Amino acid sequence: MRLSTALLSVASAIVFAVSSEAVNNPVVAGYLLLNPTNGPAKLKALADNAANIPINRIFLSFARPGMVYVPGSNTLERVGLAYGTSGDYGFADLKAQVAKLQAGGVEVFLSMGGWNYGCFPYVYTYYSVGGYGTSTPNYYKIIENGGSLASCTEANMWCYTCEPKSEGTVLADFDIFPEPTNSSVWQAAVNYVKAGAKGDAPVFHPEMVPGTMWKDPKNQQTNLVPGDGYYAKVNRDPYQDLVYLGKDLGLTGVDVDYEEMWHADYYKNGPAAGPWTNHQTTYKYAAIMQDVRLSIQAIAPNMLLATAASAAGGLSTNWWGGNLKNIWYNMNKWYPDLYSFVATTGGVNVMTYDLSNNQQYSECPDANTCSLSQQVNYYMKSYADNNMLAHVGYEIGTPAYPDYNHDAAHQLPLIQSELSAILAVQGAKGGFFWELYKGIGKQPNNVEVSSVAQQICKAALGANTPRCAGSIPQPGGGSTTVNPTVTVTVSPTVSPTTSPTTTTPGGGQCTLPAWSASTAYSGGAKVSYNGRQYTAQWWTQGNVPSAGAPWVDNGACSGTGPTQTPTPGSCGGTAAWSSSTAYNSGAKVTYGGFIYTAQWWTQGDTPGSGSVWVKGAACTAALRRRLYY
């Protein structure tokens, strides 16, 4: 796993020939959030239609920051990608789909990190959400779930600030980006960072190891660090292993989605009343990116490196805590060769979404910059003004922030007028969006995913580019038809409250009301879609039935029965837990929407109630990373 000194000495100023190609050919990218239930089917649908989908890059998400992959092992078991649950954990299938996508002109990246895989619930609660007094945007979560900051413990998931209580998350669902001091590549990256530091003196924290107990020196609390420290036990470097895995899968590139806000707030420096510096987080992030860059140069020189970036990351103004402002500005200022390498190969993708216009918390950059398009163009201009090449980001459907159920009035969703205003400024440069199968959400005027992708595609690649007329395919062969100039999701013209008789392609008839993207459905509601019958498991709006949860496929309208009807609570081929079944060590079951693995023989022990069961991936995208309304 260790690189030789000769390989480590590759000149940092190298710019690969692919760089100019990446700059001159705009990218239209979408993130695909994988899960064991319908993730493979979604990826297959995209791969089968690769030449005709309105995107030319896909980010597969998310690998754990503490992942382990031994080159040549051909298994995703310790990657955390949630693609398969047994055997090679989907490696062979994933590799086959990657090849089909690339043959159809779509680049494929693997993304490491994301929100859950970068959130330390205890630290985030005590030093981010609760670290700046009680008048902060998310402090209501502490009040609602614990009553006070001091009442937040692991029992109430530190008052559910990383994810809401409804997600049912436990500590095993989270992770942090580790500092693998066992690795010579990591040590070389740290030395690079220290040599270029122009702010506070760099201080790294190898004592914070995932899966081990950590004592907070500020308040003497001891807590388990989220994540798996297996990489340390077997002497692996997760960032190097990300590259090894990318090479074995035949990927175009890898992506680092670093969102450790807790790290910035915990290790900030400055006067008690602020403003502060978050230089230590710049150093940690830069070391991670340098580790990946060195690994690429030694293992897969043609591989591209991308990263997600904070909307405020390109600003140079004072930092008052609570976000990752300044991080990418400082990285470009202190480590310009590293920033350039990322920006000109895979790209710096700015998450210009989950924005708010709530001026109670000064969430508009200024009083005249409050709409979604105004804020997006403001933040992208900050990158451009500092000569930082970057790509704009969009979010489909209901934003994750602010919480719709708490502050819907200050949400800034992607409606057509705002999308048009952003494209008028940013469109020719391309961009990316979250997420390929996210529904339109709770606001009926939100632009659905195929229309967003088509409009970005035409702005970046040209209106006559054939793939820009395509749609995002649904598993099973369906797709959404849209008019790219109007916010429309085409659905049957019959009223969703009636019971029409619809002739299906196979000749059968549907007597259930046809599904409508604009209709809100309660748990138990039944609809028909593309000749099949579906039942909602919980409240939903805008989620296409054939894409999976919260919809359960009840079979064809012709009465031939479903092609595959999951047992309630199951994940595809993984059976639901039963109190009467005896399970041996290594057995996998589903319970409450999650996969659990038995650590030893057990019978009658409810998953989640004791240590015999280890909680794994969520069965559906609804339980991972972002809320899917």
Side-chain angles (χ1 to χ4, degrees):
M1 66 171 289
R2 299 181 185 277
L3 304 182
S4 69
T5 302
L7 291 174
L8 287 172
S9 65
V10 176
S12 61
I14 288 178
V15 179
F16 295 99
V18 72
S19 300
S20 60
E21 180 181 350
V23 174
N24 295 327
N25 293 297
V27 169
V28 182
Y31 274 81
L32 175 62
L33 185 61
L34 295 171
N35 66 80
T37 304
N38 52 31
K42 291 176 180 177
L43 186 59
K44 183 179 186 303
L46 292 164
D48 288 346
N49 296 276
N52 301 309
I53 54 178
I55 57 174
N56 58 15
R57 178 179 290 180
I58 288 177
F59 291 99
L60 305 176
S61 55
F62 289 102
R64 279 188 176 271
M67 63 165 282
V68 169
Y69 177 78
V70 177
S73 62
N74 296 345
T75 177
L76 302 177
E77 181 177 6
R78 290 192 171 272
V79 174
L81 191 58
Y83 190 73
T85 60
S86 61
D88 67 357
Y89 290 78
F91 180 94
D93 180 74
L94 182 60
K95 185 171 183 176
Q97 304 306 334
V98 167
K100 284 198 293 184
L101 283 162
Q102 292 174 332
V106 179
E107 299 176 331
V108 185
F109 283 60
L110 174 59
S111 183
M112 169 188 278
W115 178 250
N116 281 11
Y117 286 170
C119 194
F120 189 158
Y122 158 71
V123 181
Y124 183 64
T125 296
Y126 276 78
Y127 296 96
S128 295
V129 176
Y132 300 95
T134 60
S135 298
T136 56
N138 284 322
Y139 200 88
Y140 76 92
K141 298 180 181 180
I142 293 172
I143 298 299
E144 290 182 358
N145 296 298
S148 67
L149 183 60
S151 300
C152 294
T153 66
E154 185 176 356
N156 60 13
M157 276 309 297
W158 291 279
C159 290
Y160 298 102
T161 58
C162 285
E163 288 288 357
K165 186 176 182 179
S166 59
E167 294 289 276
T169 51
V170 297
L171 192 60
D173 297 313
F174 302 98
D175 210 333
I176 68 167
F177 281 77
E179 298 180 15
T181 55
N182 59 294
S183 166
S184 61
V185 187
W186 174 258
Q187 293 296 347
V190 167
N191 290 337
Y192 165 86
V193 167
K194 289 180 176 178
K198 294 180 176 64
D200 300 335
V203 179
F204 287 85
H205 297 277
E207 73 279 2
M208 192 178 283
V209 178
T212 66
M213 301 305 293
W214 172 74
K215 186 175 183 179
D216 181 355
K218 296 184 179 182
N219 67 9
Q220 307 306 307
Q221 284 199 45
T222 299
N223 288 286
L224 183 67
V225 180
D228 187 353
Y230 184 73
Y231 73 91
K233 297 177 183 177
V234 295
N235 201 36
R236 303 295 305 176
D237 179 342
Y239 311 122
Q240 187 180 22
D241 282 353
L242 176 66
V243 177
Y244 276 127
L245 175 59
K247 180 181 179 181
D248 283 0
L249 284 172
L251 298 176
T252 311
V254 293
D255 173 59
V256 176
D257 186 349
Y258 182 82
E259 301 185 39
E260 287 188 334
M261 295 182 190
W262 64 266
H263 189 277
D265 292 313
Y266 187 82
Y267 293 112
K268 69 179 185 286
N269 185 36
W276 302 278
T277 64
N278 52 18
H279 296 171
Q280 300 306 327
T281 304
T282 299
Y283 298 143
K284 179 179 179 180
Y285 169 70
I288 293 167
M289 298 304 291
Q290 176 68 354
D291 188 323
V292 179
R293 175 169 70 154
L294 291 173
S295 298
I296 286 174
Q297 290 173 341
I299 299 166
N302 292 322
M303 186 176 289
L304 308 184
L305 174 57
T307 190
S310 162
L315 295 170
S316 61
T317 49
N318 288 339
W319 180 64
W320 296 95
N323 56 33
L324 294 179
K325 182 180 180 181
N326 305 150
I327 300 298
W328 285 265
Y329 171 83
N330 286 333
M331 177 177 160
N332 182 59
K333 183 178 179 181
W334 302 336
Y335 312 103
D337 61 306
L338 179 57
Y339 186 93
S340 178
F341 178 89
V342 179
T344 58
T345 60
V348 175
N349 301 309
V350 185
M351 295 181 287
T352 42
Y353 44 80
D354 290 341
L355 303 172
S356 169
N357 60 5
N358 190 344
Q359 283 296 69
Q360 177 184 351
Y361 304 114
S362 302
E363 293 190 312
C364 300
D366 60 58
N368 297 314
T369 309
C370 275
S371 72
L372 177 64
S373 58
Q374 288 171 338
Q375 292 197 47
V376 168
N377 290 327
Y378 170 89
Y379 289 122
M380 293 307 299
K381 185 175 184 296
S382 72
Y383 279 84
D385 287 349
N386 289 305
N387 298 312
M388 301 164 65
L389 184 66
H391 302 142
V392 69
Y394 307 82
E395 181 172 18
I396 308 300
T398 301
Y401 177 85
D403 190 310
Y404 180 89
N405 295 315
H406 177 75
D407 188 17
H410 291 107
Q411 283 201 325
L412 298 175
L414 190 64
I415 59 175
Q416 184 59 51
S417 59
E418 295 298 312
L419 175 59
S420 297
I422 296 170
L423 288 172
V425 179
Q426 311 294 338
K429 307 167 196 174
F432 73 99
F433 58 87
W434 178 271
E435 185 267 0
L436 280 160
Y437 288 92
K438 190 177 178 191
I440 64 170
K442 293 187 176 182
Q443 298 101 335
N445 292 325
N446 293 349
V447 190
E448 63 85 44
V449 65
S450 286
S451 181
V452 172
Q454 289 170 356
Q455 293 182 64
I456 299 172
C457 186
K458 290 181 179 181
L461 305 181
N464 296 322
T465 303
R467 73 165 58 251
C468 296
S471 298
I472 305 302
Q474 296 297 330
S479 64
T480 304
T481 304
V482 297
N483 180 340
T485 62
V486 184
T487 308
V488 174
T489 300
V490 176
S491 57
T493 56
V494 296
S495 167
T497 59
T498 64
S499 298
T501 299
T502 305
T503 302
T504 70
Q509 292 185 329
C510 286
T511 58
L512 291 174
W515 173 80
S516 169
S518 61
T519 300
Y521 297 95
S522 300
K526 297 181 182 297
V527 299
S528 61
Y529 180 75
N530 281 353
R532 301 190 69 79
Q533 304 170 93
Y534 296 86
T535 300
Q537 297 177 81
W538 53 79
W539 188 98
T540 178
Q541 182 177 6
N543 294 94
V544 178
S546 60
W551 293 102
V552 171
D553 186 342
N554 296 319
C557 295
S558 61
T560 59
T563 55
Q564 185 178 33
T565 304
T567 302
S570 70
C571 293
T574 305
W577 172 80
S578 171
S579 60
S580 61
T581 301
Y583 298 97
N584 293 319
S585 175
K588 295 182 181 296
V589 299
T590 57
Y591 183 80
F594 289 85
I595 293 174
Y596 288 83
T597 302
Q599 300 303 289
W600 52 81
W601 186 95
T602 178
Q603 182 176 5
D605 295 298
T606 305
S609 65
S611 58
V612 61
W613 293 105
V614 173
K615 189 176 184 181
C619 295
T620 70
L623 296 171
R624 294 178 59 82
R625 177 57 172 85
R626 299 275 187 188
L627 295 180
Y628 273 39
Y629 291 109

